Amino acid sequence: MTRKFTWFNATSLTFAFAFLYLPILILIVYSFNESKLVTVWAGFSTKWYGELLHNQAMLDAAWVTFRVAFTTATLATILGTMAAYVLVRSGRFYGRTLFSGMIYAPLVMPDVIIGLSLLLLFIAMNIDRGMMTVIIAHTTFAMCYVAVVVSSRLISFDRSLEEAALDLGCSPMEAFFYVTLPIIAPSVVAGWLLAFTLSLDDLVIASFTTGPGATTLPIKIWSAVRLGVSPEINALSTILISIVTVGVIAASTIDRRRAARAGERG
Amino acid sequence: MAAGLRRYLLIVVPYAWLLVFFLAPFFIVLKISLSDLAVAMPPYTPTFDPSAGWEGFKAFISQLDFESYIFLATDSLYVNAFFSSLQIAVLSTFLALLVAFPMAYGMARAPDWLRPLLVMGVILPFWTSFLIRVYAWVGILRSEGLLNQFLIWTGIISEPLQIMNTPVAVYIGIVYSYLPFMVLPIYATLEKMDESLLEAAIDLGCSRVKAFWLVTLPLAMPGIIAGCFLVFIPAMGEFVIPELLGGSRTLMMGKTLWNEFFSNRDWPVASAVAIVLLLTLVVPIVIFQRQAERQQEAGR
């Protein structure tokens, strides 16, 4: 029996996707609004994008955010891949339950708790707050997402390939870099991208752990948004949404092509 | 280099990172929650001085008390914030389930070629900034916003509805933001479901509705439970949504913590709020972790 796709299914999908996408579409449309009043349409204009380009504080924040996200993603990918290896491969060891608890808990832990606790740690350790503390904070929760993404790939990984490489004289390091890494690469890339966007998005944890000279874009957006809706923020949001959309679609296309090629070979 | 040493290093590096930057901070929060507010930097007392030795440590311990917790329990503001968080989180989890289930069901029944696109469509908003997605609703829900403009234009209402700055706006915000977390686990269980079970139930005399209740729903249960935890836990400590959409009268724990810390500069009370929030969430978090681990094991 083939699954029946009923009118009820089609309707619920249409409504649910409309609910998911309409607010974003409206936001994008109004970023091209001539009027300063966001809810009154006064004709097409790209002037808010122009204004954004001349807002030095915004550009500085964007640059800080990019550097934080890039470093976070890289660190989190290294630590997260290691953690995934430990979760999947290391079997039982002393403190394993605690370890997996520390991997899964940050995925659902409220931001305010992570932010507050890390800030109090930095103060207790007398570390000056700035870009570095934000990077440490972001790496801590982003590595857990990377670990989950990579470990789901590692579980389905055929270990005999790695054993063959070892039998043929590879050192364990060589076996990892020549055999394992290329195979799990799509999930590692996905993990990196996920960590990058998580860092790019985060407001709460960055607000707690930031210091002078390390104002990130979400903090900047937050202070603007609290004063109300502004077309400039809509324009900025549109740019960010476009970057993420292009990135996610590119990543998934690469992944699907790889999977398709692997399928042909197999 | 011995294989044992390599394995040891592999475990130690991520382990140590999480111990220092994830677990240790909780003990500091716990310690500060037991301290008293002081006009100093850092603004609490006592501070621990390792040079004072054992006597100093005993004096330090004796100065800790539960004052902040007593304050939380006796001030109705904090008690209300706790119950209002609980109510908002439970109700919005339920609403998210109501929206997500038909959606996941439709996705699982969609033609094969369409399914990856639909999954992509659910994941994509999750990747776009949370803050921006919540902000998008401000322009829609305001009294002169698009929803009210639309409803007045269609003649359904004559006066703008006050949705913004009410709990209703918070419900909408939470359901909207966390919908992918609910849809994906349910979809994963429904997609794997063996359709012949349904067929068998119908052959044996079940009506379609009854077969749904007796077969589909129980089989989807693991996904439903996972989804509910994934929405409930972060919703309980949510800060951005109640602050931006809920207005000053919507109280939630996350918002209280933020205000105590940044506006009142009362670190002991902010820490006590964090500990209470954490204790509330410990049980759901442990259940969630067990579930996630079991799913990983099953994938093996």
Side-chain angles (χ1 to χ4, degrees):
Chain A
M1 183 174 94
T2 50
R3 295 167 190 223
K4 264 191 233 139
F5 189 58
T6 59
W7 274 107
F8 171 73
N9 295 144
T11 320
S12 52
L13 279 183
T14 312
F15 273 105
F17 276 98
F19 176 60
L20 273 182
Y21 282 91
L22 265 181
I24 300 176
L25 284 180
I26 291 170
L27 179 93
I28 293 173
V29 167
Y30 275 89
S31 76
F32 294 104
N33 190 1
E34 172 80 39
S35 163
K36 175 104 192 143
L37 293 166
V38 189
T39 42
V40 183
W41 182 260
F44 182 86
S45 152
T46 53
K47 72 173 178 190
W48 304 112
Y49 290 87
E51 220 141 282
L52 206 58
L53 281 178
H54 293 107
N55 188 337
Q56 193 56 41
M58 268 312 175
L59 292 177
D60 289 344
W63 179 229
V64 169
T65 311
F66 175 79
R67 280 184 294 167
V68 168
F70 190 87
T71 321
T72 296
T74 309
L75 269 174
T77 303
I78 296 169
L79 287 165
T81 307
M82 288 172 88
Y85 237 77
V86 173
L87 277 180
V88 177
R89 292 292 179 77
S90 284
R92 304 252 149 244
F93 59 90
Y94 191 70
R96 195 201 144 90
T97 316
L98 178 64
F99 185 71
S100 78
M102 290 193 297
I103 292 290
Y104 287 108
L107 305 183
V108 284
M109 188 70 70
D111 294 347
V112 282
I113 297 184
I114 299 184
L116 175 74
S117 64
L118 273 164
L119 171 61
L120 296 178
L121 174 85
F122 293 140
I123 289 169
M125 285 166 70
N126 242 328
I127 298 175
D128 282 332
R129 276 163 287 145
M131 239 167 76
M132 209 219 359
T133 46
V134 180
I135 290 170
I136 291 175
H138 282 180
T139 303
T140 306
F141 75 92
M143 70 177 274
C144 301
Y145 284 86
V146 177
V148 170
V149 170
V150 175
S151 68
S152 65
R153 185 79 168 210
L154 265 179
I155 282 170
S156 59
F157 173 81
D158 184 1
R159 274 189 91 166
S160 58
L161 291 173
E162 217 176 59
E163 280 157 17
L166 291 171
D167 284 349
L168 292 169
C170 269
S171 73
M173 276 300 205
E174 286 172 328
F176 176 78
F177 282 105
Y178 293 132
V179 179
T180 316
L181 194 57
I183 294 175
I184 63 167
S187 68
V188 176
V189 173
W192 191 92
L193 284 169
L194 183 58
F196 188 87
T197 52
L198 284 169
S199 169
L200 201 71
D201 274 1
D202 168 67
L203 164 74
V204 173
I205 296 172
S207 302
F208 273 103
T209 54
T210 192
T215 305
T216 63
L217 217 43
I219 298 176
K220 204 87 196 137
I221 295 176
W222 180 246
S223 55
V225 157
R226 293 184 51 147
L227 302 174
V229 187
S230 92
E232 214 177 321
I233 295 297
N234 281 24
L236 179 63
S237 304
T238 305
I239 294 172
L240 287 174
I241 291 170
S242 319
I243 293 172
V244 170
T245 308
V246 170
V248 170
I249 291 175
S252 83
T253 317
I254 294 167
D255 196 20
R256 213 173 304 155
R257 256 195 226 148
R258 277 189 88 111
R261 237 185 296 151
E264 275 165 33
R265 247 185 263 145
Chain B
M1 186 161 95
L5 182 66
R6 200 178 295 113
R7 175 169 178 265
Y8 181 74
L9 272 180
L10 186 66
I11 295 178
V12 160
V13 175
Y15 210 130
W17 182 286
L18 288 171
L19 280 180
V20 173
F21 295 117
F22 184 68
L23 196 62
F26 290 129
F27 289 99
I28 297 174
V29 174
L30 181 66
K31 188 243 131 187
I32 293 176
S33 76
L34 298 172
S35 306
D36 293 331
L37 186 65
V39 187
M41 190 64 209
Y44 54 84
T45 181
T47 45
F48 179 53
D49 178 14
S51 63
W54 179 239
E55 283 306 312
F57 181 69
K58 273 202 288 195
F60 164 76
I61 291 291
S62 67
Q63 281 187 58
L64 296 179
D65 55 44
F66 289 95
E67 201 176 297
S68 304
Y69 291 93
I70 294 165
F71 177 62
L72 286 190
T74 49
D75 193 316
S76 63
L77 179 76
Y78 302 100
V79 179
N80 288 344
F82 178 79
F83 285 110
S84 134
S85 291
L86 205 60
Q87 187 200 335
I88 289 175
V90 169
L91 202 63
S92 37
T93 305
F94 180 69
L95 291 173
L97 180 62
L98 284 189
V99 179
F101 196 89
M103 189 182 184
Y105 194 65
M107 283 167 68
R109 291 178 160 252
D112 282 341
W113 60 269
L114 190 61
R115 254 181 274 158
L117 281 176
L118 292 174
V119 172
M120 188 74 198
V122 175
I123 295 175
L124 197 59
F126 165 72
W127 289 73
T128 26
S129 171
F130 181 73
L131 179 56
I132 291 173
R133 281 183 295 142
V134 178
Y135 163 73
W137 279 97
V138 178
I140 297 172
L141 296 179
R142 291 191 310 170
S143 47
E144 69 274 32
L146 288 167
L147 183 66
N148 274 319
Q149 283 184 20
F150 176 76
L151 290 176
I152 290 173
W153 178 74
T154 54
I156 295 172
I157 53 167
S158 51
E159 289 284 300
L161 290 173
Q162 176 66 37
I163 304 172
M164 192 67 184
N165 297 337
T166 67
V168 177
V170 180
Y171 293 131
I172 295 175
I174 294 178
V175 172
Y176 178 71
S177 308
Y178 292 111
L179 195 62
F181 292 106
M182 187 66 96
V183 172
L184 292 174
I186 298 176
Y187 167 74
T189 51
L190 286 177
E191 205 238 339
K192 275 188 306 203
M193 204 181 91
D194 187 353
E195 287 281 317
S196 58
L197 292 173
L198 261 187
E199 213 175 331
I202 289 166
D203 283 351
L204 292 170
C206 263
S207 68
R208 287 212 156 264
V209 177
K210 204 172 171 197
F212 174 83
W213 282 104
L214 292 179
V215 180
T216 312
L217 211 55
L219 284 173
M221 232 16 175
I224 293 174
I225 293 170
C228 286
F229 280 122
L230 281 173
V231 175
F232 173 80
I233 301 170
M236 189 74 195
E238 187 52 54
F239 163 73
V240 172
I241 296 171
E243 180 73 19
L244 211 52
L245 300 177
S248 56
R249 279 167 55 209
T250 309
L251 294 172
M252 280 188 87
M253 298 276 278
K255 220 174 116 177
T256 310
L257 192 161
W258 179 286
N259 289 336
E260 283 304 327
F261 190 85
F262 285 108
S263 312
N264 295 352
R265 303 206 146 267
D266 192 334
W267 292 18
V269 166
S271 302
V273 172
I275 295 291
V276 171
L277 183 55
L278 197 61
L279 288 177
T280 319
L281 295 178
V282 155
V283 174
I285 287 176
V286 169
I287 297 174
F288 160 75
Q289 183 212 335
R290 291 270 159 81
Q291 182 103 14
E293 272 193 328
R294 222 177 296 145
Q295 242 158 20
Q296 289 253 326
E297 304 262 316
R300 215 167 280 207

